[in-house]
Amino acid sequence: MQFNILMRVALHVWRVMKIFDLRHSRLLLLLQTTTTTTTTINTLENQDGTIVLEEEIASAKSYLDDGFVFGLKGSGLERPRGRVATLVVEGDTLETQPYQLGIVSTTFALHMAFILTSLHTIFFAATSPIESSNIAMKLIEVMLIFVGSWWSADLGSGVLHWSVDNYGNGRTPVMGNIIAAFQGHHSAPWTITQRQFCNNVYKLCTPFGLAPILLTLATQSYTSHPLFTIYGAMFCSWEILSQEFHKWSHMPPKDCPWWVNSILQKSGVSIARKPHALHHIAPYDGNYCIVSGVNNPWLDNIGFFRLLEHIVYKINGIESNAWKLDPELRTRTLQGDYKKP
């Protein structure tokens, strides 16, 4: 009973913080609604020899416009030289804001509470004494859940990264902020290295915080299905942390804590620098997984994301941004040639 009350109070705090974030996002959206226009005067000669002037008005696209693709001419974003931090979204900041701290802290606190409560259910809530063999088996199950959540979160991060890199823009409902962040990242990849932790990961608390937390509270799965609850909480936590792992892959070794270089990246727990650098080569068509990158080789070799793009195109006729940057990639994919050349 006390646990449920605590969860509801924490969730209420999370909602308040999220409402503030949504209002902040809408304000930024309003600030970005203007577009830059340029006027070009073309001189044309009619058949009768008269001269007319034709006025062409071209609008520079921003990340809020349909059809925006970083890397295309006239996209409105140019990649700066050197390790320069560039804020793509007007009003954005590199410093952690109080509402970001509140969202991230509450999200991780609730996921941790679910994990600890589920572990208590597994090991201590039995009506009869647990035999040593059962304890060993349950420990093995928990460890397999831990590794499985890490592996599947890497796969999930790749699917998410592919989708927001290739479809939608800053106006897309719910995911607009995440799409703007990922697509803008291609124009200023070093910006992420100067973001503080909560500022860097809080956007991912929308898909991997509110929905799974509400589902867990509604079903009380931490008592009825504790292993599944541990998996879900760990999966969501890995996904949120993937953005921090992503940040470390852009930072020089001297700027990272020693344990990031010597333990996490060296062991393959988090994505390393060289593997992720392969993603930042136009048309940005592979190496999407950013938890550990362990799934990148086989996904890219079989053309998994080309298959998804072909399916999306058949359903709604929308082309991926990677196709727009590389017409040959588009042609191969439409011909059913999904594998890397």
Side-chain angles (χ1 to χ4, degrees):
M1 182 66 178
Q2 291 179 345
F3 177 77
N4 287 336
I5 294 175
L6 177 61
M7 291 297 99
R8 294 181 187 280
V9 170
L11 183 60
H12 179 70
V13 173
W14 197 99
R15 285 173 174 169
V16 171
M17 295 296 181
K18 195 60 191 172
I19 289 172
F20 184 88
D21 178 37
L22 289 174
R23 290 177 177 175
H24 181 259
S25 300
R26 288 169 183 167
L27 176 60
L28 296 181
L29 190 61
L30 289 173
L31 292 173
Q32 286 289 337
T33 54
T34 58
T35 57
T36 302
T37 60
T38 58
T39 302
T40 303
I41 304 297
N42 294 330
T43 303
L44 301 176
E45 183 175 353
N46 288 336
Q47 293 181 351
D48 59 2
T50 60
I51 302 297
V52 296
L53 298 180
E54 183 184 71
E55 183 178 74
E56 292 183 352
I57 300 178
S59 298
K61 288 185 172 66
S62 79
Y63 71 94
L64 294 173
D65 297 322
D66 293 333
F68 167 77
V69 184
F70 170 74
L72 286 181
K73 185 177 180 180
S75 67
L77 290 178
E78 300 298 333
R79 187 166 184 164
R81 294 181 177 275
R83 299 177 181 179
V84 179
T86 303
L87 297 175
V88 175
V89 181
E90 185 175 347
D92 192 9
T93 176
L94 300 176
E95 302 295 326
T96 294
Q97 303 301 306
Y99 73 92
Q100 297 169 350
L101 177 62
I103 289 173
V104 175
S105 300
T106 304
T107 299
F108 276 113
L110 288 171
H111 283 318
M112 180 57 68
F114 292 147
I115 292 172
L116 294 177
T117 304
S118 298
L119 289 173
H120 182 271
T121 301
I122 293 171
F123 291 107
F124 302 107
T127 56
S128 60
I130 302 176
E131 299 178 359
S132 298
S133 59
N134 287 340
I135 293 177
M137 182 60 65
K138 290 179 184 297
L139 283 172
I140 293 174
E141 289 177 344
V142 171
M143 291 302 298
L144 289 175
I145 289 292
F146 181 85
V147 175
S149 66
W150 167 79
W151 182 88
S152 57
D154 184 62
L155 177 62
S157 72
V159 175
L160 174 66
H161 190 179
W162 161 79
S163 65
V164 296
D165 265 12
N166 286 281
Y167 302 99
N169 54 46
R171 294 184 186 275
T172 302
V174 182
M175 298 293 288
N177 276 352
I178 297 176
I179 293 172
F182 273 87
Q183 294 187 6
H185 172 66
H186 288 158
S187 69
W190 291 102
T191 303
I192 192 176
T193 66
Q194 299 185 28
R195 292 188 182 277
Q196 297 177 346
F197 174 72
C198 291
N199 179 284
N200 187 34
V201 307
Y202 87 97
K203 292 183 180 71
L204 290 175
C205 290
T206 296
F208 300 110
L210 181 59
I213 286 171
L214 287 174
L215 180 62
T216 303
L217 287 174
T219 60
Q220 295 189 2
S221 59
Y222 42 83
T223 57
S224 58
H225 299 86
L227 285 175
F228 178 79
T229 302
I230 292 174
Y231 170 81
M234 286 300 306
F235 177 88
C236 291
S237 297
W238 285 120
E239 291 289 1
I240 296 171
L241 289 172
S242 69
Q243 187 66 350
E244 193 69 4
F245 296 166
H246 181 199
K247 181 178 81 174
W248 292 335
S249 72
H250 281 281
M251 296 173 63
K254 63 182 179 63
D255 293 338
C256 286
W258 68 269
W259 46 270
V260 171
N261 301 316
S262 302
I263 299 178
L264 295 184
Q265 291 190 354
K266 191 173 183 178
S267 65
V269 171
S270 66
I271 185 73
R273 296 172 181 85
K274 289 184 178 179
H276 181 63
L278 297 174
H279 170 71
H280 281 270
I281 300 174
Y284 317 107
D285 60 339
N287 292 281
Y288 289 111
C289 301
I290 55 174
V291 172
S292 65
V294 68
N295 289 289
N296 281 327
W298 72 269
L299 288 173
D300 290 343
N301 287 336
I302 68 172
F304 177 74
F305 295 109
R306 303 293 79 76
L307 172 62
L308 292 184
E309 290 166 1
H310 201 174
I311 292 173
V312 170
Y313 181 75
K314 285 183 177 180
I315 293 173
N316 55 28
I318 297 177
E319 300 183 5
S320 73
N321 288 342
W323 290 13
K324 299 170 186 175
L325 291 169
D326 187 352
E328 291 185 4
L329 179 68
R330 177 184 184 276
T331 301
R332 292 200 310 270
T333 303
L334 291 177
Q335 293 174 347
D337 184 6
Y338 304 138
K339 295 182 179 180
K340 292 181 65 176

